[in-house]
Amino acid sequence: MKIIETKDYADMSRKAANIIAAQIITKPECVLGLATGSSPIGTYDNLVAMYENGDLDFSEITTVNLDEYKGLTRDNDQSYYYFMHEHLFDRVNIDSERTNVPNGMEADAEKECKRYEEFIKSLGGVDLQLLGLGHNGHIGFNEPAPVFEKETHCVNLTESTIEANKRFFASADDVPRQAYTMGIGTIMRAKKILLVASGEDKADIVAKAFFGEVTPDVPASILQMHPDVTVVADAAALSKIPR
Ligand code: F6R
């Protein structure tokens, strides 16, 4: 695992965007795994700026998002479909036919999870997977659990995740209770992983996930076993790692 320390969120975002840009430049037809949340927004802004400067071409890439709330329509401004269009897809020359987010409106969870998992396999896997890190160590919506869930599946969100996400909804009652997410196996099969983390509130979980025991209680800890992980995190998020 490579850890790149940055000054702050802006610096983290620039460096993460540069790593993704290098992937797109070296393999224009690559498959990118994408994340939502506050951590990657600056990364997406930097990628958009590179596109606007004529330095980056998204026309051949395919994207697969990590997760989506179950039951939110695409035009709901809290859906991850909406988020991705707002922060990246509608701002660059990506082929929208090649952008993929789990279908939160498919009521049959088993059918949608199987479809998404098989679809990712049919692409030949993910070249570079971008991740954020939840305060409880979740990646995607893989919450702390007795075992690592391998494949794309439907999860019941934990109280701490509902609590963390309620800032985006009118109230905690409006936060969906379930989501579709790539599994830990799906994520671990990505050829390269790039995780971004920023802020003091992530310091405890960064130390625990990357320097603690590998356990499904801290889902991100499994990344210690992946051969090509880069963590780009600011000084505040890295303030509790052992030196
Ligand atoms: C989002 C996702 C989540 C977030 C995590 C961190 O697609 O999969 O695991 O990455 O909740 O969220 P932020 O970046 O808002 O702290």
Side-chain angles (χ1 to χ4, degrees):
M1 176 173 294
K2 236 177 285 152
I3 297 191
I4 298 176
E5 180 168 335
T6 70
K7 276 201 302 282
D8 51 21
Y9 181 86
D11 189 19
M12 174 197 83
S13 302
R14 273 193 308 274
K15 290 194 164 74
N18 280 330
I19 292 170
I20 297 172
Q23 172 67 60
I24 298 173
I25 291 166
T26 52
K27 188 177 177 191
E29 73 292 0
C30 66
V31 178
L32 291 183
L34 298 177
T36 62
S38 47
S39 307
I41 290 177
T43 304
Y44 295 145
D45 287 342
N46 277 275
L47 289 172
V48 170
M50 290 179 206
Y51 162 71
E52 286 171 349
N53 290 338
D55 290 332
L56 212 47
D57 175 13
F58 290 81
S59 64
E60 290 180 59
I61 71 165
T62 298
T63 65
V64 283
N65 261 80
L66 278 170
D67 45 13
E68 177 61 287
Y69 287 118
K70 183 164 181 254
L72 290 193
T73 54
R74 289 174 159 190
D75 61 358
N76 184 309
D77 65 4
Q78 293 309 321
S79 76
Y80 289 173
Y81 178 94
Y82 190 101
F83 175 103
M84 288 311 303
H85 280 264
E86 185 182 19
H87 291 287
L88 185 67
F89 300 159
D90 292 348
R91 302 166 72 197
V92 297
N93 67 333
I94 202 165
D95 176 354
S96 65
E97 296 281 308
R98 286 213 284 259
T99 64
N100 301 278
V101 180
N103 179 7
M105 290 311 287
E106 173 55 67
D108 184 339
E110 204 181 319
K111 180 176 161 206
E112 176 56 13
C113 295
K114 192 161 180 273
R115 179 196 72 80
Y116 203 64
E117 190 69 33
E118 280 172 8
F119 175 70
I120 295 170
K121 285 195 180 126
S122 77
L123 295 172
V126 172
D127 290 297
L128 175 65
Q129 176 68 54
L130 177 62
L131 297 175
L133 177 64
H135 291 108
N136 61 2
H138 73 225
I139 46 176
F141 268 124
N142 292 279
E143 302 284 9
V147 291
F148 291 112
E149 282 266 10
K150 291 199 187 73
E151 312 282 312
T152 301
H153 59 288
C154 180
V155 283
N156 297 320
L157 306 192
T158 61
E159 278 312 313
S160 82
T161 298
I162 292 167
E163 196 51 34
N165 289 0
K166 76 170 186 206
R167 61 198 152 124
F168 301 118
F169 292 84
S171 75
D173 287 345
D174 294 321
V175 185
R177 268 31 191 183
Q178 289 187 308
Y180 294 141
T181 181
M182 286 186 194
I184 292 294
T186 330
I187 294 170
M188 288 294 278
R189 280 191 289 277
K191 294 175 189 104
K192 283 180 240 162
I193 291 179
L194 169 63
L195 184 140
V196 285
S198 162
E200 212 185 322
D201 58 313
K202 293 283 171 79
D204 283 323
I205 195 61
V206 164
K208 205 168 161 189
F210 306 132
F211 295 88
E213 187 198 347
V214 175
T215 162
D217 265 344
V218 184
S221 65
I222 193 77
L223 299 175
Q224 295 180 42
M225 317 291 284
H226 190 284
D228 194 346
V229 176
T230 304
V231 173
V232 180
D234 62 17
L238 293 175
S239 58
K240 294 192 176 162
I241 65 168
R243 302 283 180 174

